Amino acid sequence: MLMTHYMELLASNQPWNLLIFMALPVVLAETVAITELYILYTRKFDTWVRQVNRIASILVGITFVGIIGYLMFAAVIPITRDGAWRTWIDVVAVSTYLIGGVPMVLLALQDLGLIHRSETEEKRLARHAIYVALFLVFAHIAMVAGMMDPGVMGYVAPDESHDMMKHH
């Protein structure tokens, strides 16, 4: 089975890439999502749950700044320059993973007081929930697309195409 670059990234350098690019950001984002539900339900803004939410939001935002910066230069630019995308499914997997990090960065900026400072607590809470929802949508698209075999979309690995030529 062939892999998208997304899946190849997670499978390489075990366990480090899996921990850095999947486990850490997802655990932090899921912590934000779970605590967000409590805050939305109770409207209690001065509890330890809100503090956990805020800390996780800031940490996941910082994590994604690093991930997005690193992957743009280490993967996206070289893969694009070399024309090495493994069909459109590969582009969808990688780009939605990176785009999914943007709402997490916005969460961090909001919780650091760098954006939306003048808005009411309710308005910031609504933005927070929207950012979490956007992350979840993009992250799940990235995971599903990333797990797809690009061969299903017609991709043939360079060494496989070479082998196919030998058989003809």
Side-chain angles (χ1 to χ4, degrees):
M1 182 174 124
L2 301 169
M3 287 191 274
T4 59
H5 283 98
Y6 173 94
M7 193 55 67
E8 190 175 298
L9 171 72
L10 298 177
S12 299
N13 192 31
Q14 285 290 322
W16 304 112
N17 283 10
L18 187 61
L19 293 171
I20 293 166
F21 296 106
M22 181 58 69
L24 176 63
V26 168
V27 166
L28 289 169
E30 293 296 340
T31 299
V32 172
I34 291 164
T35 55
E36 195 81 19
L37 291 172
Y38 174 83
I39 295 164
L40 286 168
Y41 180 74
T42 64
R43 294 291 201 260
K44 292 182 180 176
F45 302 110
D46 58 351
T47 66
W48 67 270
V49 175
R50 175 63 182 116
Q51 289 306 313
V52 168
N53 178 275
R54 185 173 183 274
I55 291 165
S57 294
I58 292 167
L59 290 176
V60 75
I62 292 168
T63 299
F64 267 111
V65 166
I67 287 172
I68 292 167
Y70 173 76
L71 289 179
M72 286 302 295
F73 291 100
V76 173
I77 292 171
I79 291 168
T80 302
R81 180 190 61 229
D82 298 342
W85 289 106
R86 299 170 184 163
T87 77
W88 65 270
I89 202 71
D90 197 20
V91 175
V92 168
V94 173
S95 62
T96 54
Y97 175 76
L98 295 173
I99 291 166
V102 173
M104 297 291 100
V105 173
L106 293 172
L107 280 179
L109 293 174
Q110 179 174 307
D111 282 340
L112 287 167
L114 299 174
I115 60 173
H116 313 308
R117 281 186 297 225
S118 62
E119 293 183 348
T120 66
E121 190 70 39
E122 283 292 318
K123 184 70 173 172
R124 286 194 308 271
L125 181 64
R127 286 187 187 278
H128 223 266
I130 290 167
Y131 294 149
V132 170
L134 287 170
F135 166 77
L136 291 172
V137 168
F138 284 117
H140 285 92
I141 292 169
M143 283 187 255
V144 171
M147 288 185 234
M148 180 160 248
D149 177 348
V152 172
M153 297 297 150
Y155 175 75
V156 178
D159 49 316
E160 285 185 6
S161 64
H162 182 67
D163 290 343
M164 289 175 75
M165 297 302 275
K166 285 183 184 178
H167 295 123
H168 291 297

